[in-house]
Amino acid sequence: MMVQRWDPFREMRWMQENMNQMRRGFSPAAGGNGGTAGWAIPLNVVQDDESIVVYASMPGIDPADLNVTVDNDVLTIRGQTATEGERKEGNYLMREMHTGSFQRSLRLPDTLDVDKAQSSYDNGVLTISLPKVEARQARQLPVTVGANGHSTEGETSEE
């Protein structure tokens, strides 16, 4: 047996970490029993010159259980996983797989053409591609000078 110096602060840190972990397990965002908001979907959002692409990681989700909408520049992904029954054999040592309903909303810039958006689901990743609206070309206006509003191009003034 190894003799170790007692550090009361280490035990307090250990207790604080355990309390934080327990609190996270019961928070609505973590999908615990403490709330009905469900669990959060992890997202990656990538932007390039032509589009914004959203990748949502949802392994094991049936695509028929997904609902993707865009309303007032807000992308919302909703769905539900089958709840597994209570396990009667043994006890969980760790349980990180979430079950039940989930929802994630993301505000989009108004420069996207949502009518041309496309989505696909492959290997547990939902991919939503939102193309950007083509930039409007600036229109050049002729500048007029004088009280009458006529152009003075090519005219010279003599004093």
Side-chain angles (χ1 to χ4, degrees):
M1 177 177 211
M2 185 172 149
V3 177
Q4 192 172 13
R5 187 173 181 183
W6 182 63
D7 181 7
F9 296 109
R10 179 178 50 218
E11 290 187 22
M12 287 177 15
R13 284 189 303 268
W14 176 82
M15 188 171 68
Q16 182 66 41
E17 288 173 12
N18 285 338
M19 294 294 286
N20 288 341
Q21 185 176 7
M22 187 175 69
R23 196 174 313 125
R24 278 192 305 269
F26 290 105
S27 72
N33 297 331
T36 59
W39 47 279
I41 306 164
L43 299 178
N44 285 347
V45 181
V46 179
Q47 175 177 279
D48 60 21
D49 292 338
E50 299 162 0
S51 66
I52 289 180
V53 182
V54 178
Y55 299 97
S57 177
M58 298 182 287
I61 305 295
D62 184 2
D65 294 333
L66 292 175
N67 183 11
V68 180
T69 60
V70 178
D71 187 27
N72 292 328
D73 295 329
V74 176
L75 170 69
T76 302
I77 303 168
R78 287 186 185 97
Q80 184 158 350
T81 62
T83 57
E84 77 179 43
E86 279 300 313
R87 189 177 185 129
K88 300 296 181 191
E89 301 170 10
N91 296 319
Y92 285 104
L93 296 177
M94 179 183 290
R95 185 173 182 182
E96 294 180 344
M97 297 174 65
H98 298 288
T99 58
S101 64
F102 58 88
Q103 175 177 326
R104 184 77 188 261
S105 295
L106 179 68
R107 177 149 310 275
L108 300 171
D110 60 355
T111 58
L112 300 177
D113 189 355
V114 295
D115 293 330
K116 295 181 181 176
Q118 297 178 340
S119 65
S120 64
Y121 183 78
D122 188 32
N123 292 326
V125 177
L126 175 67
T127 304
I128 304 166
S129 180
L130 302 147
K132 292 182 180 178
V133 176
E134 292 183 22
R136 296 180 181 151
Q137 296 294 325
R139 194 177 102 195
Q140 186 169 351
L141 300 174
V143 177
T144 57
V145 179
N148 296 339
H150 67 278
S151 177
T152 58
E153 274 185 55
E155 295 180 16
T156 57
S157 63
E158 296 180 22
E159 293 183 25

